[in-house]
Amino acid sequence: MIPLRLLVVIVLAFVVLLVARLFRGWRGRVRTETPAVPLVPLSIRGAAERTWVIFTTPLCASCGPIEARLRATDPHANVVRIDAIEQPRLSHAFKVRSAPTVLLADGEGRVTARLVGAEAFERYVRNPA
Amino acid sequence: MAGSPTPIDPRGPRFNQAVLTVGLLCGFVFDWKAVVPVFAVVLLLGAAFGPRYGPFLRLYADLVKPRLSPPTELEDPRPPRFAATVGVVFLGAASVAFAAGASAVGWGLALVVAVLAGLAATTGICIGCEMWLLVARRRGLISGA
């Protein structure tokens, strides 16, 4: 009886670890634009050649420092902070599932980078791909 | 977000979920049915009265957290509390099933909780929390939603 149950547990643990691995890979990746990603609206990016869009939530502790850092390190870019909870349509459109999610858009509104989490942001800033 | 509860360290609920997963899976392997109602009560305490009353949440706050670096992010405590409430319902139903002699049903329900808690502990994907967000947005519990 115990070996059978142990087998069930091993299978379940394997499934959970597999999902965890896939999720981590998906979350930490810097994503370039695909046809499924919409353009960042003109009302958000304005006339800037480059726009950083930071999706935040009221409890996101690292979002403020990220915004400050972007303003300091990329002064010519437009930096926009969006509360994902107050803008559910936008956050849904850009598939925002956690904060911070940072998008980099070019002058046409195309998303050229998508950084999920403070760690991914740090990695990108240190070594932009 | 006025009137929102004090944000919590998200690693607390994840520690709780990890202990829950390990406990339920060990209970399943060795057929310790008593684990299920015990964990139902453990979850109930945290869900009903807050993290200070959840034994494993308290264990995390008192013993584990002081040894870790400060959290980089804080989270709203309501989604994990709602998820814990869902866990209480499942584990409560599993306990009733055991009492009625339906062990397979009981373990089935308990394993659902174990898998979801394991998923949340290892990936941060918390299905109960997502359910809370959906309900909260519909009912306007989140400002501006």
Side-chain angles (χ1 to χ4, degrees):
Chain A
M1 193 64 175
I2 287 181
L4 179 66
R5 287 175 179 240
L6 202 55
L7 186 68
V8 171
V9 168
I10 290 169
V11 169
L12 289 176
F14 180 75
V15 170
V16 168
L17 289 176
L18 188 70
V19 173
R21 195 183 168 92
L22 291 173
F23 179 72
R24 286 210 182 106
W26 167 78
R27 194 177 186 181
R29 203 177 303 146
V30 176
R31 297 186 160 196
T32 51
E33 186 211 6
T34 65
V37 179
L39 296 177
V40 172
L42 188 61
S43 57
I44 291 176
R45 61 188 154 86
E49 280 184 17
R50 203 167 51 254
T51 300
W52 289 96
V53 184
I54 310 165
F55 283 94
T56 74
T57 60
L59 299 177
C60 173
S62 52
C63 294
I66 284 178
E67 182 183 0
R69 187 152 176 204
L70 281 174
R71 288 191 190 284
T73 57
D74 198 358
H76 300 298
N78 185 18
V79 180
V80 182
R81 189 168 167 163
I82 293 176
D83 188 318
I85 292 170
E86 289 182 352
Q87 302 280 352
R89 282 189 182 179
L90 260 182
S91 48
H92 180 71
F94 288 98
K95 297 183 172 57
V96 175
R97 296 187 57 81
S98 64
T101 293
V102 181
L103 307 178
L104 175 61
D106 65 14
E108 315 254 300
R110 287 187 293 256
V111 176
T112 56
R114 175 188 168 89
L115 310 163
V116 181
E119 212 174 289
F121 173 77
E122 279 300 320
R123 274 202 304 270
Y124 183 82
V125 168
R126 275 194 221 122
N127 184 23
Chain B
M1 204 65 182
S4 294
T6 309
I8 57 168
D9 180 351
R11 296 171 298 182
R14 287 180 82 158
F15 177 79
N16 198 36
Q17 289 150 353
V19 173
L20 181 68
T21 305
V22 172
L24 287 174
L25 291 181
C26 285
F28 173 69
V29 169
F30 297 107
D31 202 21
W32 297 332
K33 295 187 180 73
V35 162
V36 175
V38 167
F39 273 112
V41 172
V42 165
L43 279 186
L44 179 66
L45 290 171
F49 304 111
R52 288 183 54 181
Y53 298 92
F56 297 120
L57 293 168
R58 193 67 192 262
L59 186 73
Y60 171 80
D62 291 346
L63 290 180
V64 182
K65 193 177 174 184
R67 291 171 168 77
L68 301 176
S69 54
T72 54
E73 285 182 89
L74 299 174
E75 74 174 4
D76 190 322
R78 291 173 293 181
R81 276 179 82 167
F82 180 82
T85 307
V86 175
V88 170
V89 171
F90 270 71
L91 293 182
S95 304
V96 171
F98 286 137
S103 292
V105 176
W107 281 125
L109 290 167
L111 285 181
V112 169
V113 176
V115 167
L116 294 182
L119 193 65
T122 53
T123 66
I125 303 173
C126 172
I127 303 298
C129 305
E130 298 292 332
M131 286 165 59
W132 185 87
L133 285 172
L134 277 175
V135 173
R137 279 181 185 142
R138 292 205 173 172
R139 294 173 69 177
L141 293 177
I142 302 173
S143 65

